Amino acid sequence: MKQLKIQVLLRVLVFSFMFLLPSLGQSQETSAKIAYVSLDRILNESKIAKEAQSKMQTEFGQREKEVRDGIAKIKTEAAQLDKDAAILPEADRIRKQRELADHDRELQRKQRELIEDSQRRGAEERAKIFEKANQVLKLIVEQKKLDLVVQDAAYVNPRIDITNDVLAALNK
């Protein structure tokens, strides 16, 4: 019996809500101010993003060079081993193959560490950029009295794109 009363009450609420919803939507549609901001452009074009990219390049540039040089060295050594394999004694050939495999494992470890460190630092820098961009965005939203700001959209009318405003404020 209680369950039946609850079901009837829910139906009444849903039914009345269906009549109220269109009228609420109409009153809000006419006054809503919507804008769009492109986070991709902010991450690529803002001054703080370019500074972060430069900082990352400085921080990881030497390690990247070491890995590239290591790859080139291993390729050279492997080519030399292939070339000399026919004339080398069996014990020397096996020893050089093991050394080459050890160097390759060490290089792969360094490369993995570099990638992990770079991704971690990149995420930290993006978080800083997003934090600053959100602060600026909040100010712009308050100034323009916006109701909704969209970050991803299939189509954006340039009239509502406030990315340039956010970039200008970030670059000050």
Side-chain angles (χ1 to χ4, degrees):
M1 190 66 162
K2 281 185 178 182
Q3 198 173 27
L4 184 60
K5 287 182 182 180
I6 292 173
Q7 286 178 348
V8 170
L9 182 61
L10 282 175
R11 286 183 184 162
V12 169
L13 286 173
V14 169
F15 187 70
S16 61
F17 187 67
M18 285 174 39
F19 282 106
L20 290 174
L21 187 60
S23 64
L24 289 173
Q26 288 174 353
S27 66
Q28 289 179 351
E29 280 181 35
T30 57
S31 66
K33 286 187 174 182
I34 300 172
Y36 168 79
V37 66
S38 171
L39 291 179
D40 289 337
R41 281 190 56 208
I42 290 171
L43 283 174
N44 293 324
E45 298 175 18
S46 69
K47 183 179 172 184
I48 59 174
K50 290 177 182 177
E51 289 171 356
Q53 181 64 29
S54 175
K55 190 187 325 181
M56 294 275 297
Q57 183 61 35
T58 302
E59 186 175 338
F60 294 104
Q62 182 61 35
R63 286 174 62 187
E64 288 174 357
K65 184 182 181 312
E66 288 173 6
V67 168
R68 282 192 308 271
D69 292 347
I71 290 170
K73 182 179 177 185
I74 286 176
K75 284 181 181 179
T76 304
E77 289 175 0
Q80 186 65 39
L81 180 61
D82 287 343
K83 190 182 200 184
D84 296 342
I87 59 172
L88 281 175
E90 182 74 16
D92 288 344
R93 184 180 53 79
I94 292 172
R95 182 182 50 80
K96 286 190 177 195
Q97 285 175 336
R98 286 185 183 149
E99 288 174 2
L100 190 59
D102 289 344
H103 289 189
D104 186 46
R105 273 193 300 277
E106 180 65 20
L107 182 64
Q108 287 179 11
R109 183 190 59 76
K110 284 182 180 181
Q111 192 172 24
R112 274 192 312 273
E113 287 176 357
L114 173 64
I115 290 168
E116 289 170 2
D117 291 348
S118 177
Q119 287 175 342
R120 181 184 45 76
R121 283 286 293 125
E124 290 171 2
E125 291 298 325
R126 281 189 302 278
K128 289 178 188 176
I129 295 166
F130 286 143
E131 183 178 328
K132 182 69 175 166
N134 279 333
Q135 291 171 355
V136 167
L137 185 60
K138 284 179 185 179
L139 292 174
I140 292 172
V141 165
E142 290 171 4
Q143 290 171 352
K144 294 187 176 202
K145 295 180 173 55
L146 298 171
D147 296 316
L148 175 68
V149 177
V150 180
Q151 294 176 355
D152 292 321
Y155 169 76
V156 176
N157 186 330
R159 179 180 50 82
I160 65 168
D161 190 349
I162 61 170
T163 305
N164 290 334
D165 297 337
V166 175
L167 285 170
L170 276 174
N171 292 338
K172 284 184 180 177

